[in-house]
Amino acid sequence: MKTQEQAILDALLGRQVITGSNAYAITKKECACGTLNLHKVLAKIRDKGYTINEQWCINSKSNTRFKEFTINNKKQKK
């Protein structure tokens, strides 16, 4: 079993755009976890030197806002 951090990092490195709902689905499938604190998982990935890009998006049908996250493949030097 992967950790939540490994599952999200693999998805990001695979060029998948991460939102809260698909991050939950990924971790539920790959980690058998029922809960997810996405910001804590992303903070751990940032601590490893990756740059996480985030932006607000609006769902045009329901007019709700959500964040989506992407990653730069290059690690930052510490």
Side-chain angles (χ1 to χ4, degrees):
M1 282 276 153
K2 292 182 178 181
T3 64
Q4 290 181 333
E5 183 182 338
Q6 290 170 330
I8 298 298
L9 181 58
D10 289 347
L12 284 167
L13 290 175
R15 291 293 189 204
Q16 188 170 353
V17 175
I18 298 295
T19 63
S21 58
N22 72 354
Y24 175 78
I26 290 167
T27 57
K28 187 174 181 183
K29 182 177 114 183
E30 295 186 18
C31 310
C33 296
T35 62
L36 172 70
N37 189 332
L38 184 56
H39 286 283
K40 285 188 178 183
V41 172
L42 292 174
K44 289 180 183 179
I45 294 172
R46 282 187 180 108
D47 288 344
K48 288 184 174 183
Y50 289 98
T51 302
I52 306 277
N53 303 316
E54 57 184 75
Q55 66 181 13
W56 282 102
C57 300
I58 297 176
N59 183 337
S60 60
K61 291 182 181 178
S62 62
N63 209 22
T64 56
R65 291 176 43 176
F66 61 94
K67 275 190 180 178
E68 67 179 24
F69 302 91
T70 56
I71 194 169
N72 288 348
N73 276 341
K74 296 179 183 175
K75 281 188 171 184
Q76 294 176 340
K77 294 182 181 177
K78 288 192 174 186

Coordinates of all heavy atoms in Angstrom, one line a residue:
M1 N 0.8 -1.2 0.0 CA 0.0 0.0 0.0 C 0.9 1.3 0.0 O 1.9 1.3 0.7 CB -0.9 0.0 1.2 CG -2.1 -0.8 1.2 SD -3.4 0.0 0.4 CE -4.3 -1.4 -0.2
K2 N 0.5 2.2 -0.8 CA 1.1 3.5 -0.8 C 0.6 4.4 0.3 O -0.5 4.2 0.8 CB 0.9 4.2 -2.1 CG 1.4 3.6 -3.3 CD 1.1 4.4 -4.6 CE 1.7 3.9 -5.8 NZ 1.4 4.7 -7.0
T3 N 1.4 5.4 0.7 CA 1.0 6.4 1.6 C 0.2 7.4 0.7 O 0.3 7.5 -0.5 CB 2.1 7.1 2.3 OG1 2.9 7.8 1.3 CG2 3.0 6.1 3.1
Q4 N -0.6 8.3 1.4 CA -1.3 9.3 0.7 C -0.4 10.2 -0.1 O -0.6 10.6 -1.2 CB -2.2 10.1 1.7 CG -3.3 9.4 2.2 CD -4.1 10.2 3.2 OE1 -3.6 11.1 3.8 NE2 -5.4 9.9 3.3
E5 N 0.8 10.5 0.6 CA 1.8 11.4 0.0 C 2.3 10.8 -1.3 O 2.4 11.5 -2.3 CB 2.9 11.6 1.0 CG 4.0 12.6 0.5 CD 5.1 12.7 1.6 OE1 4.8 12.5 2.8 OE2 6.2 13.1 1.2
Q6 N 2.6 9.5 -1.3 CA 3.2 8.8 -2.5 C 2.1 8.8 -3.6 O 2.5 9.0 -4.8 CB 3.6 7.4 -2.1 CG 4.8 7.3 -1.3 CD 5.0 5.9 -0.7 OE1 4.1 5.1 -0.6 NE2 6.3 5.5 -0.5
A7 N 0.9 8.5 -3.2 CA -0.2 8.4 -4.3 C -0.4 9.8 -4.9 O -0.5 9.8 -6.2 CB -1.5 7.9 -3.6
I8 N -0.5 10.8 -4.2 CA -0.7 12.2 -4.7 C 0.5 12.6 -5.6 O 0.4 13.2 -6.7 CB -1.0 13.2 -3.6 CG1 -2.3 12.8 -2.9 CG2 -1.1 14.6 -4.2 CD1 -3.5 12.8 -3.8
L9 N 1.7 12.4 -5.0 CA 2.9 12.7 -5.8 C 3.0 12.0 -7.1 O 3.3 12.6 -8.1 CB 4.2 12.5 -4.9 CG 5.5 12.8 -5.6 CD1 5.6 14.3 -5.9 CD2 6.7 12.5 -4.7
D10 N 2.7 10.7 -7.1 CA 2.7 9.9 -8.4 C 1.7 10.5 -9.4 O 2.0 10.6 -10.6 CB 2.4 8.5 -8.1 CG 3.5 7.7 -7.4 OD1 4.6 8.3 -7.3 OD2 3.3 6.6 -6.9
A11 N 0.5 10.9 -8.9 CA -0.5 11.5 -9.8 C 0.0 12.8 -10.3 O -0.1 13.1 -11.5 CB -1.8 11.6 -9.0
L12 N 0.6 13.6 -9.5 CA 1.1 14.9 -9.9 C 2.2 14.8 -10.9 O 2.3 15.5 -12.0 CB 1.6 15.8 -8.7 CG 0.5 16.4 -7.9 CD1 1.1 16.9 -6.6 CD2 -0.2 17.5 -8.6
L13 N 3.2 13.9 -10.7 CA 4.3 13.6 -11.6 C 3.8 13.0 -12.9 O 4.5 13.1 -13.9 CB 5.3 12.8 -10.9 CG 6.1 13.5 -9.8 CD1 7.1 12.5 -9.1 CD2 6.9 14.7 -10.3
G14 N 2.7 12.4 -12.9 CA 2.1 11.8 -14.1 C 1.3 12.8 -14.8 O 0.5 12.5 -15.7
R15 N 1.4 14.1 -14.5 CA 0.8 15.3 -15.1 C -0.7 15.3 -14.9 O -1.4 15.9 -15.7 CB 1.1 15.3 -16.6 CG 2.5 15.6 -17.0 CD 2.8 17.0 -16.6 NE 4.1 17.4 -17.0 CZ 4.7 18.4 -16.4 NH1 4.2 19.0 -15.4 NH2 5.9 18.8 -16.9
Q16 N -1.2 14.7 -13.9 CA -2.6 14.8 -13.6 C -2.9 16.1 -12.7 O -2.1 16.4 -11.9 CB -3.0 13.6 -12.7 CG -4.5 13.4 -12.5 CD -4.9 12.1 -11.9 OE1 -4.0 11.2 -11.8 NE2 -6.1 11.9 -11.6
V17 N -3.9 16.7 -13.1 CA -4.4 17.9 -12.3 C -5.1 17.4 -11.1 O -6.1 16.6 -11.2 CB -5.2 18.9 -13.1 CG1 -5.7 20.0 -12.3 CG2 -4.4 19.4 -14.3
I18 N -4.7 17.9 -9.9 CA -5.3 17.4 -8.7 C -6.3 18.4 -8.1 O -6.0 19.6 -8.0 CB -4.2 17.1 -7.6 CG1 -3.3 16.1 -8.1 CG2 -4.9 16.8 -6.3 CD1 -3.9 14.7 -8.2
T19 N -7.5 18.0 -7.8 CA -8.5 18.8 -7.1 C -8.8 18.0 -5.8 O -8.4 16.8 -5.7 CB -9.8 19.0 -7.9 OG1 -10.4 17.7 -8.2 CG2 -9.5 19.7 -9.2
G20 N -9.6 18.5 -4.9 CA -9.9 17.8 -3.7 C -10.7 16.5 -3.9 O -10.4 15.5 -3.3
S21 N -11.6 16.5 -4.9 CA -12.4 15.3 -5.1 C -11.6 14.2 -5.8 O -11.8 13.1 -5.4 CB -13.7 15.7 -5.9 OG -13.3 16.3 -7.1
N22 N -10.8 14.5 -6.8 CA -10.1 13.4 -7.4 C -8.9 13.0 -6.5 O -8.5 11.8 -6.6 CB -9.7 13.7 -8.8 CG -8.6 14.8 -9.0 OD1 -8.1 15.4 -8.0 ND2 -8.1 15.0 -10.2
A23 N -8.4 13.9 -5.7 CA -7.3 13.4 -4.7 C -7.9 12.4 -3.7 O -7.3 11.4 -3.4 CB -6.8 14.6 -4.0
Y24 N -9.1 12.7 -3.3 CA -9.8 11.8 -2.4 C -10.0 10.4 -3.1 O -9.8 9.4 -2.5 CB -11.2 12.3 -1.9 CG -12.0 11.4 -1.1 CD1 -11.7 11.2 0.3 CD2 -13.0 10.7 -1.6 CE1 -12.4 10.3 1.0 CE2 -13.8 9.8 -0.9 CZ -13.5 9.6 0.5 OH -14.2 8.8 1.2
A25 N -10.5 10.4 -4.3 CA -10.7 9.2 -5.1 C -9.4 8.4 -5.2 O -9.4 7.2 -5.1 CB -11.3 9.5 -6.4
I26 N -8.3 9.1 -5.5 CA -7.0 8.5 -5.7 C -6.5 7.8 -4.4 O -6.1 6.6 -4.4 CB -5.9 9.5 -6.2 CG1 -6.2 9.9 -7.6 CG2 -4.5 8.9 -6.1 CD1 -5.4 11.2 -8.0
T27 N -6.6 8.5 -3.3 CA -6.1 8.0 -2.0 C -7.1 6.8 -1.6 O -6.6 5.9 -0.9 CB -6.0 9.0 -1.0 OG1 -7.2 9.7 -0.8 CG2 -4.9 10.0 -1.3
K28 N -8.3 7.0 -1.8 CA -9.3 5.9 -1.4 C -9.0 4.6 -2.2 O -9.0 3.5 -1.6 CB -10.7 6.3 -1.7 CG -11.7 5.4 -1.1 CD -13.1 5.9 -1.3 CE -14.1 4.9 -0.7 NZ -15.5 5.4 -0.9
K29 N -8.6 4.7 -3.5 CA -8.3 3.6 -4.3 C -7.0 3.0 -4.0 O -6.8 1.8 -3.8 CB -8.4 4.0 -5.8 CG -8.2 2.8 -6.7 CD -8.3 3.3 -8.2 CE -7.0 3.2 -8.9 NZ -7.0 3.7 -10.2
E30 N -5.9 3.8 -3.9 CA -4.6 3.3 -3.8 C -4.1 3.1 -2.4 O -3.2 2.4 -2.1 CB -3.6 4.3 -4.5 CG -3.8 4.3 -6.0 CD -2.8 5.1 -6.7 OE1 -1.7 5.4 -6.2 OE2 -3.1 5.5 -7.9
C31 N -4.7 3.8 -1.4 CA -4.3 3.7 0.0 C -5.3 3.1 0.9 O -5.0 2.9 2.1 CB -3.9 5.1 0.5 SG -2.8 6.0 -0.5
A32 N -6.5 2.9 0.4 CA -7.6 2.4 1.3 C -7.8 3.4 2.5 O -8.1 2.9 3.6 CB -7.4 1.0 1.7
C33 N -7.7 4.7 2.2 CA -8.0 5.7 3.3 C -9.3 6.3 3.0 O -9.7 6.6 1.9 CB -6.9 6.8 3.2 SG -5.3 6.2 3.6
G34 N -10.0 6.6 4.1 CA -11.3 7.2 4.0 C -11.3 8.7 4.2 O -12.3 9.4 4.0
T35 N -10.2 9.3 4.6 CA -10.1 10.7 4.9 C -8.8 11.2 4.2 O -7.9 10.5 3.9 CB -10.0 11.0 6.4 OG1 -8.8 10.4 6.9 CG2 -11.2 10.5 7.1
L36 N -8.9 12.6 3.9 CA -7.7 13.2 3.3 C -7.7 14.6 3.7 O -8.7 15.3 3.5 CB -7.8 13.1 1.8 CG -6.8 13.8 0.9 CD1 -5.4 13.2 1.1 CD2 -7.2 13.9 -0.5
N37 N -6.5 15.1 4.2 CA -6.3 16.5 4.3 C -5.3 16.9 3.3 O -4.0 16.8 3.5 CB -5.7 16.8 5.7 CG -5.7 18.3 6.0 OD1 -5.5 19.1 5.1 ND2 -5.8 18.6 7.3
L38 N -5.8 17.4 2.1 CA -4.9 17.6 1.0 C -3.8 18.6 1.2 O -2.7 18.4 0.8 CB -5.8 18.0 -0.2 CG -5.1 18.2 -1.6 CD1 -4.4 17.0 -2.0 CD2 -6.1 18.6 -2.6
H39 N -4.1 19.7 2.0 CA -3.1 20.7 2.2 C -1.9 20.2 3.0 O -0.8 20.6 2.8 CB -3.7 21.9 2.9 CG -4.5 22.7 1.9 ND1 -4.0 23.6 1.0 CD2 -5.9 22.8 1.7 CE1 -4.9 24.1 0.2 NE2 -6.1 23.6 0.6
K40 N -2.2 19.3 3.9 CA -1.1 18.7 4.7 C -0.2 17.7 3.8 O 1.0 17.7 3.9 CB -1.6 17.9 5.9 CG -2.1 18.8 7.0 CD -2.4 17.9 8.3 CE -2.8 18.9 9.4 NZ -3.1 18.1 10.6
V41 N -0.9 17.0 2.9 CA -0.1 16.1 2.0 C 0.7 17.0 1.1 O 1.9 16.7 0.8 CB -1.1 15.2 1.2 CG1 -0.4 14.5 0.1 CG2 -1.8 14.3 2.2
L42 N 0.1 18.0 0.5 CA 0.9 18.9 -0.4 C 2.0 19.6 0.3 O 3.1 19.8 -0.3 CB -0.1 19.9 -1.0 CG -1.1 19.4 -2.0 CD1 -2.1 20.4 -2.4 CD2 -0.4 18.7 -3.2
A43 N 1.9 20.0 1.6 CA 2.9 20.6 2.4 C 4.1 19.6 2.5 O 5.3 20.1 2.4 CB 2.4 21.0 3.8
K44 N 3.9 18.4 2.7 CA 4.9 17.4 2.8 C 5.7 17.2 1.5 O 6.9 17.1 1.4 CB 4.4 16.0 3.2 CG 4.0 15.9 4.7 CD 3.4 14.6 5.0 CE 2.9 14.5 6.4 NZ 2.4 13.2 6.7
I45 N 4.9 17.3 0.4 CA 5.6 17.2 -1.0 C 6.4 18.5 -1.2 O 7.5 18.4 -1.7 CB 4.5 17.0 -2.0 CG1 3.8 15.7 -1.9 CG2 5.1 17.2 -3.4 CD1 2.6 15.4 -2.8
R46 N 5.9 19.7 -0.8 CA 6.7 20.9 -0.9 C 7.9 20.8 -0.1 O 9.0 21.3 -0.5 CB 5.8 22.1 -0.5 CG 4.8 22.6 -1.5 CD 4.1 23.8 -1.0 NE 3.2 24.3 -2.0 CZ 1.8 24.2 -1.8 NH1 1.3 23.8 -0.7 NH2 1.0 24.6 -2.7
D47 N 7.9 20.2 1.1 CA 9.0 20.1 1.9 C 10.1 19.3 1.3 O 11.3 19.4 1.6 CB 8.7 19.5 3.3 CG 7.9 20.5 4.2 OD1 7.9 21.7 3.9 OD2 7.3 20.0 5.2
K48 N 9.8 18.4 0.4 CA 10.7 17.6 -0.3 C 11.4 18.3 -1.5 O 12.3 17.8 -2.1 CB 10.1 16.3 -0.9 CG 9.7 15.3 0.1 CD 9.1 14.1 -0.5 CE 8.9 13.0 0.5 NZ 8.4 11.7 -0.1
G49 N 11.0 19.6 -1.7 CA 11.6 20.4 -2.7 C 10.8 20.6 -4.0 O 11.3 21.2 -4.9
Y50 N 9.6 20.0 -4.1 CA 8.8 20.2 -5.3 C 8.1 21.5 -5.3 O 7.7 22.0 -4.2 CB 7.8 19.1 -5.5 CG 8.5 17.7 -5.8 CD1 8.7 16.8 -4.9 CD2 8.8 17.4 -7.1 CE1 9.3 15.6 -5.2 CE2 9.4 16.2 -7.5 CZ 9.6 15.3 -6.5 OH 10.2 14.1 -6.8
T51 N 7.8 22.1 -6.4 CA 7.0 23.3 -6.5 C 5.6 22.9 -7.0 O 5.4 22.4 -8.0 CB 7.6 24.3 -7.6 OG1 9.0 24.6 -7.2 CG2 6.8 25.6 -7.6
I52 N 4.7 23.2 -6.1 CA 3.3 22.9 -6.4 C 2.6 24.3 -6.8 O 2.7 25.2 -6.1 CB 2.5 22.4 -5.1 CG1 3.3 21.2 -4.6 CG2 1.1 22.1 -5.4 CD1 3.0 19.9 -5.2
N53 N 2.0 24.3 -8.0 CA 1.2 25.4 -8.5 C -0.2 25.2 -8.1 O -0.8 24.1 -8.3 CB 1.4 25.6 -10.0 CG 2.9 25.7 -10.4 OD1 3.6 26.4 -9.7 ND2 3.2 24.9 -11.4
E54 N -0.9 26.3 -7.6 CA -2.3 26.1 -7.3 C -3.0 27.3 -7.9 O -2.5 28.4 -8.0 CB -2.5 26.0 -5.8 CG -2.0 27.2 -5.0 CD -2.2 27.0 -3.5 OE1 -1.5 26.1 -3.0 OE2 -3.1 27.6 -3.0
Q55 N -4.3 27.1 -8.3 CA -5.1 28.2 -8.9 C -6.5 27.9 -8.6 O -7.0 26.8 -8.5 CB -4.9 28.4 -10.4 CG -5.3 27.2 -11.2 CD -5.0 27.5 -12.7 OE1 -4.3 28.4 -13.0 NE2 -5.6 26.7 -13.6
W56 N -7.3 29.0 -8.4 CA -8.7 28.9 -8.2 C -9.4 28.7 -9.5 O -9.1 29.4 -10.5 CB -9.3 30.1 -7.5 CG -9.0 30.2 -6.1 CD1 -8.0 30.9 -5.4 CD2 -9.6 29.5 -5.0 NE1 -8.0 30.7 -4.1 CE2 -9.0 29.8 -3.8 CE3 -10.7 28.6 -5.0 CZ2 -9.5 29.3 -2.6 CZ3 -11.1 28.1 -3.8 CH2 -10.5 28.4 -2.6
C57 N -10.4 27.9 -9.6 CA -11.2 27.6 -10.8 C -12.7 27.8 -10.4 O -13.1 27.6 -9.2 CB -11.0 26.2 -11.3 SG -9.3 26.0 -11.8
I58 N -13.5 28.0 -11.4 CA -15.0 28.1 -11.1 C -15.7 27.1 -12.0 O -15.4 27.0 -13.2 CB -15.5 29.5 -11.5 CG1 -14.8 30.5 -10.5 CG2 -17.0 29.6 -11.4 CD1 -15.2 32.0 -10.8
N59 N -16.5 26.3 -11.4 CA -17.4 25.4 -12.1 C -18.5 26.2 -12.8 O -19.3 26.8 -12.1 CB -17.9 24.3 -11.2 CG -18.7 23.3 -11.9 OD1 -19.3 23.5 -13.0 ND2 -18.8 22.1 -11.3
S60 N -18.6 26.2 -14.1 CA -19.5 27.0 -14.8 C -21.0 26.6 -14.6 O -21.9 27.4 -14.6 CB -19.2 27.1 -16.3 OG -19.2 25.8 -16.8
K61 N -21.2 25.3 -14.3 CA -22.6 24.8 -14.2 C -23.1 25.1 -12.8 O -24.2 25.6 -12.7 CB -22.6 23.3 -14.3 CG -22.3 22.8 -15.8 CD -22.4 21.3 -15.9 CE -22.2 20.9 -17.3 NZ -22.2 19.5 -17.5
S62 N -22.3 24.9 -11.7 CA -22.9 25.1 -10.4 C -22.3 26.4 -9.8 O -22.7 26.8 -8.7 CB -22.5 24.0 -9.5 OG -21.1 23.8 -9.4
N63 N -21.4 27.1 -10.5 CA -20.9 28.4 -10.1 C -20.2 28.3 -8.7 O -20.2 29.2 -7.9 CB -22.0 29.4 -10.0 CG -21.4 30.8 -10.3 OD1 -20.3 30.9 -10.9 ND2 -22.1 31.9 -9.9
T64 N -19.5 27.1 -8.5 CA -18.7 26.9 -7.2 C -17.3 27.1 -7.5 O -16.8 26.8 -8.7 CB -19.0 25.6 -6.6 OG1 -18.7 24.6 -7.6 CG2 -20.5 25.4 -6.2
R65 N -16.5 27.5 -6.5 CA -15.1 27.6 -6.7 C -14.3 26.5 -6.1 O -14.8 25.9 -5.1 CB -14.6 28.9 -6.0 CG -15.1 30.2 -6.6 CD -14.7 31.4 -5.9 NE -13.3 31.3 -5.4 CZ -12.7 32.3 -4.8 NH1 -13.3 33.4 -4.5 NH2 -11.5 32.2 -4.4
F66 N -13.2 26.1 -6.7 CA -12.4 25.1 -6.1 C -10.9 25.3 -6.6 O -10.7 26.1 -7.5 CB -12.8 23.7 -6.6 CG -12.8 23.5 -8.1 CD1 -11.7 22.9 -8.7 CD2 -13.8 23.9 -8.9 CE1 -11.6 22.8 -10.1 CE2 -13.8 23.8 -10.3 CZ -12.7 23.2 -10.9
K67 N -10.0 24.7 -5.9 CA -8.6 24.9 -6.3 C -8.1 23.6 -7.0 O -8.6 22.5 -6.8 CB -7.7 25.0 -5.0 CG -7.6 26.4 -4.5 CD -6.5 26.4 -3.4 CE -6.4 27.8 -2.9 NZ -5.4 27.9 -1.8
E68 N -7.2 23.9 -8.0 CA -6.6 22.7 -8.7 C -5.1 22.9 -8.6 O -4.6 24.0 -8.5 CB -7.0 22.6 -10.1 CG -6.6 23.7 -11.0 CD -7.1 23.4 -12.5 OE1 -8.1 22.7 -12.7 OE2 -6.5 24.0 -13.4
F69 N -4.4 21.8 -8.4 CA -3.0 21.8 -8.2 C -2.2 21.0 -9.3 O -2.7 20.0 -9.8 CB -2.7 21.1 -6.8 CG -3.4 21.7 -5.7 CD1 -4.6 21.3 -5.3 CD2 -2.8 22.7 -5.0 CE1 -5.3 21.9 -4.2 CE2 -3.4 23.3 -3.9 CZ -4.7 22.9 -3.5
T70 N -1.1 21.6 -9.7 CA -0.2 20.9 -10.6 C 1.2 21.0 -10.0 O 1.5 21.7 -9.0 CB -0.2 21.6 -12.0 OG1 0.1 23.0 -11.8 CG2 -1.5 21.5 -12.7
I71 N 2.2 20.4 -10.6 CA 3.5 20.3 -10.1 C 4.6 20.6 -11.2 O 4.3 20.3 -12.4 CB 3.8 18.9 -9.5 CG1 5.1 18.9 -8.6 CG2 3.9 17.9 -10.6 CD1 5.2 17.7 -7.8
N72 N 5.7 21.2 -10.8 CA 6.8 21.3 -11.7 C 7.7 20.1 -11.4 O 7.9 19.8 -10.3 CB 7.6 22.6 -11.4 CG 6.9 23.9 -11.8 OD1 5.9 23.8 -12.5 ND2 7.4 25.0 -11.3
N73 N 8.2 19.5 -12.5 CA 9.0 18.3 -12.3 C 10.3 18.5 -11.6 O 10.8 17.6 -10.9 CB 9.2 17.6 -13.6 CG 8.1 16.7 -14.0 OD1 7.3 16.3 -13.2 ND2 8.0 16.3 -15.3
K74 N 10.8 19.7 -11.7 CA 12.1 20.0 -11.2 C 12.0 20.3 -9.7 O 11.2 21.0 -9.2 CB 12.7 21.2 -11.9 CG 13.0 21.0 -13.3 CD 13.6 22.2 -14.0 CE 13.8 22.0 -15.5 NZ 14.3 23.1 -16.1
K75 N 12.9 19.7 -8.9 CA 13.0 20.0 -7.5 C 13.8 21.3 -7.3 O 14.7 21.6 -8.0 CB 13.7 18.8 -6.7 CG 12.9 17.6 -6.5 CD 13.7 16.7 -5.6 CE 12.8 15.6 -5.1 NZ 13.6 14.7 -4.1
Q76 N 13.4 22.0 -6.3 CA 14.1 23.2 -5.9 C 15.3 22.8 -5.1 O 15.3 21.8 -4.3 CB 13.3 24.2 -5.1 CG 12.1 24.7 -5.8 CD 11.3 25.6 -4.9 OE1 11.3 25.4 -3.7 NE2 10.5 26.4 -5.4
K77 N 16.4 23.5 -5.2 CA 17.6 23.2 -4.4 C 17.4 23.9 -3.1 O 16.9 25.0 -3.0 CB 18.8 23.8 -5.1 CG 19.2 23.1 -6.4 CD 20.5 23.6 -6.9 CE 20.8 22.9 -8.2 NZ 22.0 23.5 -8.9
K78 N 17.7 23.1 -2.0 CA 17.6 23.7 -0.7 C 18.8 24.3 -0.2 O 19.9 24.0 -0.5 CB 17.1 22.6 0.3 CG 15.7 22.1 0.0 CD 15.2 21.3 1.1 CE 13.8 21.0 1.0 NZ 13.2 20.2 2.1

